[in-house]
Amino acid sequence: MAADITVRARAARSTKSLLPSFGLSWRIMGLVVAAMMTAEVLLFLPSIARFRMVYLEQLIESGTLAALALDATPDNMVTEEVKRTLLNNARVDAVVLVEPNKPKRALLNIPPRPDMPSFNLMERGALGLIWDALAAMTRDGAYYIRVGGESMRLPHAMVWIVVDELPMRIAMYGYAGRMLVLSLIVALFTASLLYLALRWLVIRPLQDLSEDMTAFRRAPEGPGNERPPTGRDDEIGVVDREFRNLQRELRASLRQKSRLAEVGAASNKINHDLRNMLSTARLLSDRLARSDDERTRKLAPTILNTIDRATRLASEAIEYVRDQPSPRLAEFDLADLVDEVGVALQEQGEESDPNLLRNWTNALGGERRVRADRDLLYRVLVNLGRNAFDAGATTVSVSTRPRGPYLLVDVADNGCGVPPDVAAQLFRPFTTGGRAGGAGLGLAIARDLVRAHGGEIVLAESGPAGTTFQFSLPANGL
């Protein structure tokens, strides 16, 4: 069964490849031709109605002249041969001239019958004339009609003629054929010009962009053979420039991520050995701290701080490049976690410098139950607090407030603020903010951990009076 499906799929693909493909330019050309022909049809309807009306008006004029020939006879009578000659020259079969205050004049080869269709051109509207013209073109053979109207020679007279519709119908067919040929020529000429213009202005640039996108998709990290930028200022030019900017930024980002991946792979290999070496160095430093030589004892704290900082840098680097764990949600008291983080940060400060002031304030105002991963939030708060104290702050305050479906957590300090040139890239890896001894990964790790909970972290405020970082957590967990 699976083999049959595969065979049918291959056959469908091969059949599809044999079919002609119509690109965007050909489709546009077809649409233009269809639109032009539709417009021509809409123009043809009033045109053919006008052609029929003018044709009948000319017959009324020629019939009027034939009827006026009766005024040249003493008794308004002519012989049968003269009557037939006058009507043949007028191209009508009967004419009746009704003029006020004068006797009726008539020349009749075919007398009007009650069942003969009658048309008064003076009473027909535009839609009626269009309908009459279309109906006339659908009939076959001889078809006599009675038509009335005014003559330009006798404005106040009413002229009625009887005429065979067949010659007029043949003339209408000829007119329609000429209109169709002319419409096709105009439509094809216009569509060709538009096709060439669109191909030059739109289709070719889009094809070049499509080729560039395909090449970029196949080798996004490659050097790429970029075309020179277009000098156009229209929408196509804007799209072309923005795509090239996007290419450069994505290539730079991908290269950076590749380097980070390489750094992560290398860090995984050396992390274990490095920690063993640092542990050994710390044991030796502890012995130096108990040395009888006073000068040696003074050097021991500096060595210990350096070892601790190296250990922390290695740990942060391995944490950043490692895949982030999925949060294990559980309900707990956030106020209790904040107190725990404060104790840990104060102990770290005392280890590095017993005289260093670190004031950690829990401003939650009581119990605050949340549903999140306690260990991950612990790392977020530790990173934010440690960055604040390392940047020179002496007081850090943690508070919360609800906002819609989220719980906002503010971590505010009284430090000197974040430099403006650093604020724009603060959450990028290896951005240290001018502080020596840091890896610049604490905020990047905190951002990833907050996003793993479905929230976001931002720099809410920064100035000489201090800095406030704010992160959000879903109020009811994920």
Side-chain angles (χ1 to χ4, degrees):
M1 182 65 180
D4 293 341
I5 295 176
T6 304
V7 171
R8 286 197 297 268
R10 290 178 179 175
R13 284 196 298 268
S14 61
T15 303
K16 184 177 180 181
S17 63
L18 294 176
L19 296 176
S21 60
F22 295 96
L24 181 60
S25 54
W26 286 104
R27 295 178 185 178
I28 292 176
M29 186 173 181
L31 288 175
V32 171
V33 171
M36 290 291 295
M37 294 306 297
T38 303
E40 292 294 341
V41 168
L42 296 178
L43 291 175
F44 170 76
L45 295 177
S47 298
I48 195 67
R50 177 68 181 172
F51 179 87
R52 176 179 178 273
M53 186 178 69
V54 171
Y55 188 95
L56 294 175
E57 287 177 346
Q58 291 176 352
L59 293 181
I60 289 175
E61 291 295 331
S62 61
T64 303
L65 288 176
L68 289 176
L70 295 175
D71 293 342
T73 62
D75 52 357
N76 291 335
M77 296 290 292
V78 294
T79 64
E80 189 70 22
E81 183 180 356
V82 173
K83 178 186 70 172
R84 189 175 295 107
T85 301
L86 290 174
L87 291 177
N88 289 338
N89 290 335
R91 296 178 300 161
V92 297
D93 294 286
V95 58
V96 177
L97 177 59
V98 182
E99 192 175 3
N101 302 323
K102 287 188 177 181
K104 182 188 299 185
R105 284 157 283 186
L107 293 172
L108 303 175
N109 270 343
I110 298 178
R113 299 188 304 271
D115 59 339
M116 188 176 292
S118 297
F119 302 94
N120 189 343
L121 299 181
M122 299 172 56
E123 297 177 353
R124 302 295 284 176
L127 294 178
L129 292 173
I130 293 175
W131 178 258
D132 294 340
L134 294 178
M137 296 184 69
T138 60
R139 289 190 279 266
D140 267 338
Y143 189 81
Y144 290 93
I145 57 175
R146 181 170 174 262
V147 183
E150 287 186 345
S151 171
M152 296 179 60
R153 293 175 174 80
L154 301 173
H156 301 292
M158 186 66 187
V159 181
W160 288 92
I161 61 173
V162 174
V163 61
D164 185 3
E165 201 179 60
L166 180 60
M168 180 185 67
R169 193 183 310 132
I170 295 174
M172 291 173 68
Y173 288 152
Y175 176 77
R178 293 191 297 272
M179 285 284 294
L180 177 61
V181 172
L182 181 61
S183 299
L184 287 175
I185 293 174
V186 172
L188 291 176
F189 179 74
T190 305
S192 300
L193 289 180
L194 186 57
Y195 169 80
L196 294 176
L198 287 175
R199 180 130 185 112
W200 178 55
L201 293 174
V202 179
I203 305 302
R204 287 295 299 275
L206 287 179
Q207 288 177 342
D208 294 338
L209 279 175
S210 177
E211 292 174 0
D212 291 344
M213 290 179 182
T214 303
F216 180 71
R217 178 180 60 83
R218 291 174 178 170
E221 299 184 40
N225 297 321
E226 297 185 359
R227 294 181 294 103
T230 61
R232 298 172 57 167
D233 295 329
D234 55 7
E235 290 80 358
I236 296 293
V238 172
V239 171
D240 184 76
R241 287 191 295 272
E242 291 300 323
F243 173 69
R244 301 198 180 285
N245 293 335
L246 178 64
Q247 268 186 319
R248 287 191 291 269
E249 293 175 3
L250 284 177
R251 281 198 172 108
S253 178
L254 290 172
R255 288 166 186 163
Q256 182 183 13
K257 289 187 180 298
S258 298
R259 289 195 293 269
L260 288 176
E262 294 171 359
V263 170
S267 298
N268 278 327
K269 295 178 182 178
I270 66 175
N271 184 61
H272 178 71
D273 294 336
L274 179 60
R275 289 194 176 191
N276 289 337
M277 294 175 188
L278 292 175
S279 297
T280 303
R282 185 176 181 84
L283 291 175
L284 295 175
S285 299
D286 290 338
R287 294 182 182 179
L288 291 176
R290 294 191 297 271
S291 175
D292 295 334
D293 187 358
E294 182 179 355
R295 295 178 60 186
T296 302
R297 290 197 305 272
K298 289 182 179 180
L299 292 175
T302 304
I303 297 174
L304 287 173
N305 290 337
T306 303
I307 293 173
D308 290 340
R309 188 163 55 249
T311 304
R312 194 175 74 191
L313 291 178
S315 299
E316 288 183 350
I318 201 64
E319 284 181 5
Y320 180 74
V321 299
R322 184 182 298 154
D323 290 338
Q324 297 299 332
S326 300
R328 292 175 293 184
L329 302 180
E331 187 174 335
F332 63 91
D333 183 9
L334 183 61
D336 180 65
L337 177 62
V338 172
D339 290 335
E340 183 179 339
V341 171
V343 172
L345 290 175
Q346 288 172 352
E347 290 178 352
Q348 292 177 10
E350 290 176 358
E351 290 180 1
S352 61
D353 187 356
N355 298 319
L356 186 64
L357 178 62
R358 286 191 172 188
N359 184 19
W360 178 269
T361 303
N362 184 346
L364 268 64
E367 184 180 20
R368 174 74 68 180
R369 307 296 297 181
V370 296
R371 181 174 174 79
D373 190 314
R374 196 177 191 279
D375 294 337
L376 298 186
L377 285 191
Y378 177 89
R379 292 168 59 186
V380 172
L381 293 172
V382 165
N383 283 337
L384 292 176
R386 188 168 56 201
N387 280 355
F389 287 130
D390 290 347
T394 58
T395 300
V396 177
S397 175
V398 181
S399 61
T400 60
R401 53 195 170 93
R403 177 181 292 176
Y406 290 95
L407 177 69
L408 302 183
V409 182
D410 293 331
V411 181
D413 63 59
N414 63 345
C416 58
V418 179
D421 58 331
V422 178
Q425 51 184 0
L426 195 58
F427 293 96
R428 292 184 180 178
F430 310 115
T431 300
T432 61
R435 175 171 54 86
L441 293 172
L443 289 177
I445 294 173
R447 179 196 58 186
D448 291 344
L449 297 179
V450 170
R451 287 180 175 177
H453 282 83
E456 189 56 80
I457 184 170
V458 295
L459 176 64
E461 295 180 8
S462 182
T467 301
T468 299
F469 285 93
Q470 183 182 89
F471 65 90
S472 58
L473 295 173
N476 298 321
L478 294 178

